[in-house]
PDB file of all heavy atoms in Angstrom:
ATOM      1  N   VAL A1485    -121.634  -0.835  66.778  1.00  0.00           N
ATOM      2  CA  VAL A1485    -122.572  -1.720  67.596  1.00  0.00           C
ATOM      3  C   VAL A1485    -123.933  -1.109  67.703  1.00  0.00           C
ATOM      4  O   VAL A1485    -124.985  -1.754  67.445  1.00  0.00           O
ATOM      5  CB  VAL A1485    -122.058  -2.008  68.938  1.00  0.00           C
ATOM      6  CG1 VAL A1485    -122.977  -2.795  69.844  1.00  0.00           C
ATOM      7  CG2 VAL A1485    -120.735  -2.857  68.782  1.00  0.00           C
ATOM      8  N   LEU A1486    -124.050   0.197  68.029  1.00  0.00           N
ATOM      9  CA  LEU A1486    -125.339   0.887  68.237  1.00  0.00           C
ATOM     10  C   LEU A1486    -126.072   0.931  66.873  1.00  0.00           C
ATOM     11  O   LEU A1486    -127.289   0.572  66.825  1.00  0.00           O
ATOM     12  CB  LEU A1486    -125.108   2.245  68.764  1.00  0.00           C
ATOM     13  CG  LEU A1486    -126.362   3.100  68.858  1.00  0.00           C
ATOM     14  CD1 LEU A1486    -127.422   2.510  69.853  1.00  0.00           C
ATOM     15  CD2 LEU A1486    -126.023   4.532  69.335  1.00  0.00           C
ATOM     16  N   LEU A1487    -125.468   1.300  65.863  1.00  0.00           N
ATOM     17  CA  LEU A1487    -126.068   1.427  64.582  1.00  0.00           C
ATOM     18  C   LEU A1487    -126.461   0.015  64.034  1.00  0.00           C
ATOM     19  O   LEU A1487    -127.477  -0.053  63.310  1.00  0.00           O
ATOM     20  CB  LEU A1487    -125.135   2.156  63.551  1.00  0.00           C
ATOM     21  CG  LEU A1487    -124.878   3.604  63.817  1.00  0.00           C
ATOM     22  CD1 LEU A1487    -123.958   4.227  62.830  1.00  0.00           C
ATOM     23  CD2 LEU A1487    -126.213   4.430  63.869  1.00  0.00           C
ATOM     24  N   ASN A1488    -125.699  -0.918  64.326  1.00  0.00           N
ATOM     25  CA  ASN A1488    -126.100  -2.336  63.916  1.00  0.00           C
ATOM     26  C   ASN A1488    -127.406  -2.702  64.623  1.00  0.00           C
ATOM     27  O   ASN A1488    -128.219  -3.339  63.950  1.00  0.00           O
ATOM     28  CB  ASN A1488    -124.937  -3.301  64.283  1.00  0.00           C
ATOM     29  CG  ASN A1488    -125.061  -4.607  63.577  1.00  0.00           C
ATOM     30  OD1 ASN A1488    -125.793  -5.583  64.036  1.00  0.00           O
ATOM     31  ND2 ASN A1488    -124.442  -4.794  62.400  1.00  0.00           N
ATOM     32  N   GLY A1489    -127.578  -2.360  65.857  1.00  0.00           N
ATOM     33  CA  GLY A1489    -128.839  -2.596  66.569  1.00  0.00           C
ATOM     34  C   GLY A1489    -130.032  -1.848  65.810  1.00  0.00           C
ATOM     35  O   GLY A1489    -131.056  -2.466  65.635  1.00  0.00           O
ATOM     36  N   VAL A1490    -129.810  -0.576  65.476  1.00  0.00           N
ATOM     37  CA  VAL A1490    -130.849   0.138  64.889  1.00  0.00           C
ATOM     38  C   VAL A1490    -131.231  -0.480  63.463  1.00  0.00           C
ATOM     39  O   VAL A1490    -132.292  -0.612  63.072  1.00  0.00           O
ATOM     40  CB  VAL A1490    -130.387   1.621  64.661  1.00  0.00           C
ATOM     41  CG1 VAL A1490    -131.395   2.403  63.793  1.00  0.00           C
ATOM     42  CG2 VAL A1490    -130.169   2.270  65.952  1.00  0.00           C
ATOM     43  N   ALA A1491    -130.098  -0.877  62.774  1.00  0.00           N
ATOM     44  CA  ALA A1491    -130.231  -1.487  61.394  1.00  0.00           C
ATOM     45  C   ALA A1491    -131.075  -2.791  61.431  1.00  0.00           C
ATOM     46  O   ALA A1491    -131.868  -3.030  60.660  1.00  0.00           O
ATOM     47  CB  ALA A1491    -128.855  -1.640  60.766  1.00  0.00           C
ATOM     48  N   THR A1492    -130.759  -3.512  62.505  1.00  0.00           N
ATOM     49  CA  THR A1492    -131.478  -4.784  62.656  1.00  0.00           C
ATOM     50  C   THR A1492    -132.962  -4.518  62.874  1.00  0.00           C
ATOM     51  O   THR A1492    -133.773  -5.261  62.300  1.00  0.00           O
ATOM     52  CB  THR A1492    -130.908  -5.546  63.934  1.00  0.00           C
ATOM     53  OG1 THR A1492    -129.555  -5.879  63.614  1.00  0.00           O
ATOM     54  CG2 THR A1492    -131.660  -6.903  64.180  1.00  0.00           C
ATOM     55  N   GLY A1493    -133.270  -3.548  63.748  1.00  0.00           N
ATOM     56  CA  GLY A1493    -134.607  -3.208  63.934  1.00  0.00           C
ATOM     57  C   GLY A1493    -135.403  -2.701  62.664  1.00  0.00           C
ATOM     58  O   GLY A1493    -136.545  -3.065  62.430  1.00  0.00           O
ATOM     59  N   LEU A1494    -134.603  -1.912  61.871  1.00  0.00           N
ATOM     60  CA  LEU A1494    -135.221  -1.330  60.577  1.00  0.00           C
ATOM     61  C   LEU A1494    -135.519  -2.570  59.639  1.00  0.00           C
ATOM     62  O   LEU A1494    -136.667  -2.646  59.139  1.00  0.00           O
ATOM     63  CB  LEU A1494    -134.239  -0.453  59.956  1.00  0.00           C
ATOM     64  CG  LEU A1494    -134.199   0.956  60.579  1.00  0.00           C
ATOM     65  CD1 LEU A1494    -133.016   1.691  59.991  1.00  0.00           C
ATOM     66  CD2 LEU A1494    -135.448   1.716  60.112  1.00  0.00           C
ATOM     67  N   TYR A1495    -134.538  -3.359  59.329  1.00  0.00           N
ATOM     68  CA  TYR A1495    -134.841  -4.359  58.318  1.00  0.00           C
ATOM     69  C   TYR A1495    -135.679  -5.526  58.765  1.00  0.00           C
ATOM     70  O   TYR A1495    -136.580  -5.991  57.988  1.00  0.00           O
ATOM     71  CB  TYR A1495    -133.509  -4.849  57.654  1.00  0.00           C
ATOM     72  CG  TYR A1495    -132.928  -6.132  58.212  1.00  0.00           C
ATOM     73  CD1 TYR A1495    -133.318  -7.424  57.902  1.00  0.00           C
ATOM     74  CD2 TYR A1495    -131.758  -6.035  59.089  1.00  0.00           C
ATOM     75  CE1 TYR A1495    -132.796  -8.581  58.439  1.00  0.00           C
ATOM     76  CE2 TYR A1495    -131.215  -7.181  59.551  1.00  0.00           C
ATOM     77  CZ  TYR A1495    -131.690  -8.459  59.257  1.00  0.00           C
ATOM     78  OH  TYR A1495    -131.115  -9.594  59.739  1.00  0.00           O
ATOM     79  N   ILE A1496    -135.611  -5.982  59.942  1.00  0.00           N
ATOM     80  CA  ILE A1496    -136.515  -6.964  60.438  1.00  0.00           C
ATOM     81  C   ILE A1496    -137.918  -6.373  60.702  1.00  0.00           C
ATOM     82  O   ILE A1496    -138.921  -7.016  60.424  1.00  0.00           O
ATOM     83  CB  ILE A1496    -136.016  -7.601  61.787  1.00  0.00           C
ATOM     84  CG1 ILE A1496    -134.752  -8.423  61.450  1.00  0.00           C
ATOM     85  CG2 ILE A1496    -137.075  -8.582  62.350  1.00  0.00           C
ATOM     86  CD1 ILE A1496    -134.108  -9.073  62.645  1.00  0.00           C
ATOM     87  N   GLY A1497    -138.013  -5.124  61.207  1.00  0.00           N
ATOM     88  CA  GLY A1497    -139.188  -4.509  61.449  1.00  0.00           C
ATOM     89  C   GLY A1497    -140.002  -4.173  60.202  1.00  0.00           C
ATOM     90  O   GLY A1497    -141.248  -4.028  60.251  1.00  0.00           O
ATOM     91  N   ALA A1498    -139.350  -4.206  59.049  1.00  0.00           N
ATOM     92  CA  ALA A1498    -140.115  -4.034  57.766  1.00  0.00           C
ATOM     93  C   ALA A1498    -140.970  -5.203  57.421  1.00  0.00           C
ATOM     94  O   ALA A1498    -141.913  -5.007  56.562  1.00  0.00           O
ATOM     95  CB  ALA A1498    -139.073  -3.685  56.559  1.00  0.00           C
ATOM     96  N   GLY A1499    -140.662  -6.339  58.016  1.00  0.00           N
ATOM     97  CA  GLY A1499    -141.484  -7.541  57.855  1.00  0.00           C
ATOM     98  C   GLY A1499    -141.506  -8.097  56.441  1.00  0.00           C
ATOM     99  O   GLY A1499    -142.408  -8.659  55.966  1.00  0.00           O
ATOM    100  N   LEU A1500    -140.296  -8.000  55.682  1.00  0.00           N
ATOM    101  CA  LEU A1500    -140.306  -8.494  54.342  1.00  0.00           C
ATOM    102  C   LEU A1500    -139.347  -9.660  54.115  1.00  0.00           C
ATOM    103  O   LEU A1500    -138.901  -9.924  53.086  1.00  0.00           O
ATOM    104  CB  LEU A1500    -139.817  -7.317  53.371  1.00  0.00           C
ATOM    105  CG  LEU A1500    -140.817  -6.161  53.294  1.00  0.00           C
ATOM    106  CD1 LEU A1500    -140.204  -4.923  52.499  1.00  0.00           C
ATOM    107  CD2 LEU A1500    -142.156  -6.562  52.593  1.00  0.00           C
ATOM    108  N   GLY A1501    -138.989 -10.322  55.270  1.00  0.00           N
ATOM    109  CA  GLY A1501    -138.225 -11.488  55.188  1.00  0.00           C
ATOM    110  C   GLY A1501    -136.932 -11.425  56.038  1.00  0.00           C
ATOM    111  O   GLY A1501    -136.268 -10.319  56.059  1.00  0.00           O
ATOM    112  N   PRO A1502    -136.581 -12.445  56.747  1.00  0.00           N
ATOM    113  CA  PRO A1502    -135.365 -12.403  57.598  1.00  0.00           C
ATOM    114  C   PRO A1502    -134.106 -12.542  56.811  1.00  0.00           C
ATOM    115  O   PRO A1502    -134.133 -12.911  55.617  1.00  0.00           O
ATOM    116  CB  PRO A1502    -135.566 -13.638  58.550  1.00  0.00           C
ATOM    117  CG  PRO A1502    -136.265 -14.631  57.661  1.00  0.00           C
ATOM    118  CD  PRO A1502    -137.227 -13.766  56.825  1.00  0.00           C
ATOM    119  N   GLY A1503    -132.958 -12.271  57.323  1.00  0.00           N
ATOM    120  CA  GLY A1503    -131.758 -12.437  56.720  1.00  0.00           C
ATOM    121  C   GLY A1503    -131.463 -13.965  56.569  1.00  0.00           C
ATOM    122  O   GLY A1503    -132.067 -14.765  57.220  1.00  0.00           O
ATOM    123  N   PRO A1504    -130.516 -14.376  55.631  1.00  0.00           N
ATOM    124  CA  PRO A1504    -130.347 -15.785  55.356  1.00  0.00           C
ATOM    125  C   PRO A1504    -129.781 -16.495  56.604  1.00  0.00           C
ATOM    126  O   PRO A1504    -130.224 -17.664  56.853  1.00  0.00           O
ATOM    127  CB  PRO A1504    -129.313 -15.766  54.225  1.00  0.00           C
ATOM    128  CG  PRO A1504    -128.708 -14.450  54.207  1.00  0.00           C
ATOM    129  CD  PRO A1504    -129.795 -13.565  54.756  1.00  0.00           C
ATOM    130  N   ARG A1505    -128.926 -15.848  57.426  1.00  0.00           N
ATOM    131  CA  ARG A1505    -128.424 -16.499  58.604  1.00  0.00           C
ATOM    132  C   ARG A1505    -129.537 -16.677  59.722  1.00  0.00           C
ATOM    133  O   ARG A1505    -129.566 -17.699  60.362  1.00  0.00           O
ATOM    134  CB  ARG A1505    -127.246 -15.742  59.123  1.00  0.00           C
ATOM    135  CG  ARG A1505    -126.120 -15.682  58.127  1.00  0.00           C
ATOM    136  CD  ARG A1505    -125.126 -14.471  58.327  1.00  0.00           C
ATOM    137  NE  ARG A1505    -124.115 -14.324  57.289  1.00  0.00           N
ATOM    138  CZ  ARG A1505    -124.340 -13.852  56.038  1.00  0.00           C
ATOM    139  NH1 ARG A1505    -125.536 -13.447  55.679  1.00  0.00           N
ATOM    140  NH2 ARG A1505    -123.397 -13.855  55.203  1.00  0.00           N
ATOM    141  N   ASP A1506    -130.381 -15.690  59.807  1.00  0.00           N
ATOM    142  CA  ASP A1506    -131.481 -15.747  60.789  1.00  0.00           C
ATOM    143  C   ASP A1506    -132.459 -16.907  60.313  1.00  0.00           C
ATOM    144  O   ASP A1506    -132.992 -17.615  61.239  1.00  0.00           O
ATOM    145  CB  ASP A1506    -132.238 -14.456  60.892  1.00  0.00           C
ATOM    146  CG  ASP A1506    -131.441 -13.366  61.464  1.00  0.00           C
ATOM    147  OD1 ASP A1506    -130.516 -13.685  62.264  1.00  0.00           O
ATOM    148  OD2 ASP A1506    -131.597 -12.144  61.162  1.00  0.00           O
ATOM    149  N   GLY A1507    -132.701 -16.896  59.056  1.00  0.00           N
ATOM    150  CA  GLY A1507    -133.621 -17.994  58.580  1.00  0.00           C
ATOM    151  C   GLY A1507    -133.010 -19.414  58.780  1.00  0.00           C
ATOM    152  O   GLY A1507    -133.777 -20.303  59.083  1.00  0.00           O
ATOM    153  N   LEU A1508    -131.721 -19.543  58.648  1.00  0.00           N
ATOM    154  CA  LEU A1508    -131.134 -20.948  58.912  1.00  0.00           C
ATOM    155  C   LEU A1508    -131.297 -21.190  60.348  1.00  0.00           C
ATOM    156  O   LEU A1508    -131.695 -22.286  60.690  1.00  0.00           O
ATOM    157  CB  LEU A1508    -129.670 -20.797  58.608  1.00  0.00           C
ATOM    158  CG  LEU A1508    -128.765 -22.101  58.851  1.00  0.00           C
ATOM    159  CD1 LEU A1508    -129.362 -23.248  58.100  1.00  0.00           C
ATOM    160  CD2 LEU A1508    -127.364 -21.837  58.646  1.00  0.00           C
ATOM    161  N   MET A1509    -131.111 -20.247  61.207  1.00  0.00           N
ATOM    162  CA  MET A1509    -131.236 -20.525  62.725  1.00  0.00           C
ATOM    163  C   MET A1509    -132.687 -20.937  63.029  1.00  0.00           C
ATOM    164  O   MET A1509    -132.894 -21.869  63.741  1.00  0.00           O
ATOM    165  CB  MET A1509    -130.828 -19.245  63.477  1.00  0.00           C
ATOM    166  CG  MET A1509    -131.095 -19.268  64.926  1.00  0.00           C
ATOM    167  SD  MET A1509    -130.644 -17.634  65.704  1.00  0.00           S
ATOM    168  CE  MET A1509    -131.992 -16.672  64.953  1.00  0.00           C
ATOM    169  N   THR A1510    -133.636 -20.221  62.542  1.00  0.00           N
ATOM    170  CA  THR A1510    -135.085 -20.426  62.871  1.00  0.00           C
ATOM    171  C   THR A1510    -135.499 -21.749  62.156  1.00  0.00           C
ATOM    172  O   THR A1510    -136.324 -22.549  62.752  1.00  0.00           O
ATOM    173  CB  THR A1510    -135.979 -19.401  62.502  1.00  0.00           C
ATOM    174  OG1 THR A1510    -135.780 -19.041  61.115  1.00  0.00           O
ATOM    175  CG2 THR A1510    -135.684 -18.099  63.266  1.00  0.00           C
ATOM    176  N   GLY A1511    -134.928 -22.059  61.004  1.00  0.00           N
ATOM    177  CA  GLY A1511    -135.305 -23.288  60.300  1.00  0.00           C
ATOM    178  C   GLY A1511    -134.830 -24.507  61.037  1.00  0.00           C
ATOM    179  O   GLY A1511    -135.453 -25.555  61.236  1.00  0.00           O
ATOM    180  N   LEU A1512    -133.542 -24.390  61.570  1.00  0.00           N
ATOM    181  CA  LEU A1512    -133.046 -25.524  62.372  1.00  0.00           C
ATOM    182  C   LEU A1512    -133.730 -25.641  63.695  1.00  0.00           C
ATOM    183  O   LEU A1512    -134.024 -26.823  64.205  1.00  0.00           O
ATOM    184  CB  LEU A1512    -131.610 -25.328  62.594  1.00  0.00           C
ATOM    185  CG  LEU A1512    -130.619 -25.404  61.403  1.00  0.00           C
ATOM    186  CD1 LEU A1512    -129.195 -25.030  61.720  1.00  0.00           C
ATOM    187  CD2 LEU A1512    -130.567 -26.910  60.949  1.00  0.00           C
ATOM    188  N   ALA A1513    -134.171 -24.515  64.278  1.00  0.00           N
ATOM    189  CA  ALA A1513    -134.820 -24.541  65.555  1.00  0.00           C
ATOM    190  C   ALA A1513    -136.172 -25.178  65.327  1.00  0.00           C
ATOM    191  O   ALA A1513    -136.743 -25.860  66.289  1.00  0.00           O
ATOM    192  CB  ALA A1513    -135.017 -23.231  66.082  1.00  0.00           C
ATOM    193  N   ALA A1514    -136.829 -24.996  64.219  1.00  0.00           N
ATOM    194  CA  ALA A1514    -138.172 -25.573  63.951  1.00  0.00           C
ATOM    195  C   ALA A1514    -138.122 -27.137  63.847  1.00  0.00           C
ATOM    196  O   ALA A1514    -139.147 -27.821  63.895  1.00  0.00           O
ATOM    197  CB  ALA A1514    -138.686 -24.977  62.638  1.00  0.00           C
ATOM    198  N   ARG A1515    -136.964 -27.670  63.685  1.00  0.00           N
ATOM    199  CA  ARG A1515    -136.790 -29.098  63.682  1.00  0.00           C
ATOM    200  C   ARG A1515    -136.727 -29.733  65.082  1.00  0.00           C
ATOM    201  O   ARG A1515    -136.414 -30.913  65.281  1.00  0.00           O
ATOM    202  CB  ARG A1515    -135.501 -29.522  62.900  1.00  0.00           C
ATOM    203  CG  ARG A1515    -135.499 -29.178  61.404  1.00  0.00           C
ATOM    204  CD  ARG A1515    -136.703 -29.876  60.695  1.00  0.00           C
ATOM    205  NE  ARG A1515    -136.820 -29.593  59.312  1.00  0.00           N
ATOM    206  CZ  ARG A1515    -136.312 -30.389  58.329  1.00  0.00           C
ATOM    207  NH1 ARG A1515    -135.585 -31.377  58.673  1.00  0.00           N
ATOM    208  NH2 ARG A1515    -136.403 -30.009  57.124  1.00  0.00           N
ATOM    209  N   GLY A1516    -137.093 -28.918  66.074  1.00  0.00           N
ATOM    210  CA  GLY A1516    -137.201 -29.448  67.435  1.00  0.00           C
ATOM    211  C   GLY A1516    -135.995 -29.141  68.315  1.00  0.00           C
ATOM    212  O   GLY A1516    -135.828 -29.671  69.400  1.00  0.00           O
ATOM    213  N   HIS A1517    -135.159 -28.161  67.897  1.00  0.00           N
ATOM    214  CA  HIS A1517    -133.937 -27.740  68.672  1.00  0.00           C
ATOM    215  C   HIS A1517    -134.343 -26.391  69.331  1.00  0.00           C
ATOM    216  O   HIS A1517    -135.001 -25.613  68.834  1.00  0.00           O
ATOM    217  CB  HIS A1517    -132.731 -27.716  67.787  1.00  0.00           C
ATOM    218  CG  HIS A1517    -132.450 -28.987  67.065  1.00  0.00           C
ATOM    219  ND1 HIS A1517    -131.935 -30.049  67.713  1.00  0.00           N
ATOM    220  CD2 HIS A1517    -132.621 -29.271  65.680  1.00  0.00           C
ATOM    221  CE1 HIS A1517    -131.881 -31.039  66.760  1.00  0.00           C
ATOM    222  NE2 HIS A1517    -132.196 -30.495  65.527  1.00  0.00           N
ATOM    223  N   SER A1518    -133.638 -26.158  70.500  1.00  0.00           N
ATOM    224  CA  SER A1518    -133.664 -24.842  71.155  1.00  0.00           C
ATOM    225  C   SER A1518    -133.080 -23.800  70.206  1.00  0.00           C
ATOM    226  O   SER A1518    -131.887 -23.980  69.761  1.00  0.00           O
ATOM    227  CB  SER A1518    -133.020 -24.890  72.483  1.00  0.00           C
ATOM    228  OG  SER A1518    -132.768 -23.544  72.921  1.00  0.00           O
ATOM    229  N   ILE A1519    -133.706 -22.701  70.046  1.00  0.00           N
ATOM    230  CA  ILE A1519    -133.141 -21.642  69.214  1.00  0.00           C
ATOM    231  C   ILE A1519    -131.855 -21.089  69.845  1.00  0.00           C
ATOM    232  O   ILE A1519    -130.938 -20.698  69.114  1.00  0.00           O
ATOM    233  CB  ILE A1519    -134.222 -20.533  68.902  1.00  0.00           C
ATOM    234  CG1 ILE A1519    -133.787 -19.649  67.779  1.00  0.00           C
ATOM    235  CG2 ILE A1519    -134.440 -19.713  70.108  1.00  0.00           C
ATOM    236  CD1 ILE A1519    -134.886 -18.728  67.222  1.00  0.00           C
ATOM    237  N   ARG A1520    -131.777 -21.136  71.148  1.00  0.00           N
ATOM    238  CA  ARG A1520    -130.599 -20.550  71.795  1.00  0.00           C
ATOM    239  C   ARG A1520    -129.456 -21.517  71.535  1.00  0.00           C
ATOM    240  O   ARG A1520    -128.278 -21.046  71.244  1.00  0.00           O
ATOM    241  CB  ARG A1520    -130.850 -20.474  73.303  1.00  0.00           C
ATOM    242  CG  ARG A1520    -131.884 -19.415  73.731  1.00  0.00           C
ATOM    243  CD  ARG A1520    -132.239 -19.423  75.215  1.00  0.00           C
ATOM    244  NE  ARG A1520    -133.282 -18.470  75.555  1.00  0.00           N
ATOM    245  CZ  ARG A1520    -133.778 -18.439  76.737  1.00  0.00           C
ATOM    246  NH1 ARG A1520    -133.363 -19.152  77.727  1.00  0.00           N
ATOM    247  NH2 ARG A1520    -134.775 -17.460  76.892  1.00  0.00           N
ATOM    248  N   VAL A1521    -129.665 -22.808  71.560  1.00  0.00           N
ATOM    249  CA  VAL A1521    -128.604 -23.800  71.315  1.00  0.00           C
ATOM    250  C   VAL A1521    -128.220 -23.704  69.831  1.00  0.00           C
ATOM    251  O   VAL A1521    -126.956 -23.713  69.521  1.00  0.00           O
ATOM    252  CB  VAL A1521    -129.131 -25.256  71.633  1.00  0.00           C
ATOM    253  CG1 VAL A1521    -128.072 -26.236  71.195  1.00  0.00           C
ATOM    254  CG2 VAL A1521    -129.376 -25.338  73.186  1.00  0.00           C
ATOM    255  N   VAL A1522    -129.166 -23.592  68.953  1.00  0.00           N
ATOM    256  CA  VAL A1522    -128.753 -23.514  67.510  1.00  0.00           C
ATOM    257  C   VAL A1522    -127.969 -22.238  67.207  1.00  0.00           C
ATOM    258  O   VAL A1522    -126.937 -22.317  66.596  1.00  0.00           O
ATOM    259  CB  VAL A1522    -130.131 -23.496  66.634  1.00  0.00           C
ATOM    260  CG1 VAL A1522    -129.697 -23.152  65.194  1.00  0.00           C
ATOM    261  CG2 VAL A1522    -130.782 -24.888  66.811  1.00  0.00           C
ATOM    262  N   ARG A1523    -128.453 -21.111  67.751  1.00  0.00           N
ATOM    263  CA  ARG A1523    -127.761 -19.862  67.494  1.00  0.00           C
ATOM    264  C   ARG A1523    -126.334 -19.922  68.112  1.00  0.00           C
ATOM    265  O   ARG A1523    -125.376 -19.575  67.446  1.00  0.00           O
ATOM    266  CB  ARG A1523    -128.525 -18.675  68.062  1.00  0.00           C
ATOM    267  CG  ARG A1523    -127.755 -17.439  67.878  1.00  0.00           C
ATOM    268  CD  ARG A1523    -128.608 -16.118  68.107  1.00  0.00           C
ATOM    269  NE  ARG A1523    -127.770 -14.937  67.819  1.00  0.00           N
ATOM    270  CZ  ARG A1523    -128.294 -13.750  67.671  1.00  0.00           C
ATOM    271  NH1 ARG A1523    -129.652 -13.608  67.830  1.00  0.00           N
ATOM    272  NH2 ARG A1523    -127.647 -12.683  67.436  1.00  0.00           N
ATOM    273  N   THR A1524    -126.252 -20.397  69.312  1.00  0.00           N
ATOM    274  CA  THR A1524    -124.875 -20.453  69.979  1.00  0.00           C
ATOM    275  C   THR A1524    -124.003 -21.443  69.184  1.00  0.00           C
ATOM    276  O   THR A1524    -122.754 -21.083  68.911  1.00  0.00           O
ATOM    277  CB  THR A1524    -125.061 -21.001  71.354  1.00  0.00           C
ATOM    278  OG1 THR A1524    -125.794 -20.150  72.049  1.00  0.00           O
ATOM    279  CG2 THR A1524    -123.647 -21.105  72.048  1.00  0.00           C
TER     280      THR A1524
END
């Protein structure tokens, strides 16, 4: 769990593109839905 948090910071912090699942979430949220509702 701890290393997963560090890894998330590393790859997202690099700023070279989100993961496919994160992009799906933000893409759906951009259609007018709450990102919390979409992720849940």
Side-chain angles (χ1 to χ4, degrees):
V1485 172
L1486 175 60
L1487 292 177
N1488 196 274
V1490 175
T1492 299
L1494 281 167
Y1495 92 80
I1496 293 180
L1500 294 172
R1505 296 156 185 82
D1506 293 329
L1508 175 63
M1509 175 184 66
T1510 56
L1512 290 171
R1515 294 299 181 95
H1517 306 288
S1518 164
I1519 196 167
R1520 294 175 183 174
V1521 172
V1522 170
R1523 177 166 184 164
T1524 300

